[in-house]
């Protein structure tokens, strides 16, 4: 029988739920409630380089292209991004930040930094690095198991 208190899956799920809740509260308090935790991967990529193709945005966000369509729809609805046709290839759309999306960067990043600092408080850089490596391996295994 699986003990949920010591089950890695259960622990990862609980950490995700708690951190996501803290991010939602922090983003709302910071005045950028339209930035949802689910948007952060895509926004982080766009804040580094605006105007990415959907496929590239998905790759940099770690999300499947099929997932990106709905995510971009919601981000567009919330006024953070807009789709634009590529000037050199009409088959391609690029995702661009709106002014609201650009203005959300600093307050959102402040919240993310604060929440991550709290979540990882007391964990050494070495342990955090090992944890990151293990989680990347777990993610790769999960993808292989689903293919």
């Amino acid at each position: 029988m699986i003990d949920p208190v010591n089950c890695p899956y259960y622990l990862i799920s609980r950490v995700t739920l708690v951190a996501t809740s803290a991010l939602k509260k922090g983003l709302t308090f910071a005045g950028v409630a339209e930035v949802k935790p689910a948007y952060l991967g895509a926004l982080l990529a766009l804040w580094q380089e605006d105007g990415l193709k959907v496929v590239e945005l998905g790759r940099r966000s770690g999300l499947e292209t099929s997932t990106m369509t709905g995510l971009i729809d919601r981000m567009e609805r919330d006024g953070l991004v807009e789709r634009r046709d590529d000037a050199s290839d009409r088959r391609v759309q690029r995702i661009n930040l709106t002014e609201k999306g650009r203005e959300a960067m600093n307050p959102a990043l402040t919240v993310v930094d604060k929440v991550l600092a709290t979540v990882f408080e007391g964990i050494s850089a070495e342990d955090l690095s090992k944890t990151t490596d293990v989680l990347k391996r777990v993610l790769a295994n999960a993808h292989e198991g689903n293919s």
Side-chain angles (χ1 to χ4, degrees), residues 3-58:
D3 174 11
V5 175
N6 293 309
C7 172
Y9 169 75
Y10 177 79
L11 292 170
I12 291 169
S13 295
R14 290 287 303 146
V15 168
T16 300
L17 289 171
V18 171
T20 299
S21 176
L23 285 168
K24 284 181 185 174
K25 288 178 187 172
L27 292 166
T28 299
F29 185 77
V32 286
E34 63 278 4
V35 176
K36 311 294 187 238
Y39 300 169
L40 286 171
L43 286 173
L44 289 168
L46 290 169
W47 287 330
Q48 289 179 347
E49 183 177 346
D50 197 9
L52 294 171
K53 295 177 183 176
V54 175
V55 172
E56 181 61 19
L57 182 58

Side-chain angles (χ1 to χ4, degrees), residues 123-145:
I123 299 173
S124 71
E126 181 180 319
D127 284 347
L128 194 55
S129 177
K130 286 180 186 174
T131 302
T132 301
D133 290 342
V134 169
L135 290 173
K136 285 180 178 177
R137 179 64 186 262
V138 169
L139 188 59
N141 290 345
H143 279 297
E144 287 176 19

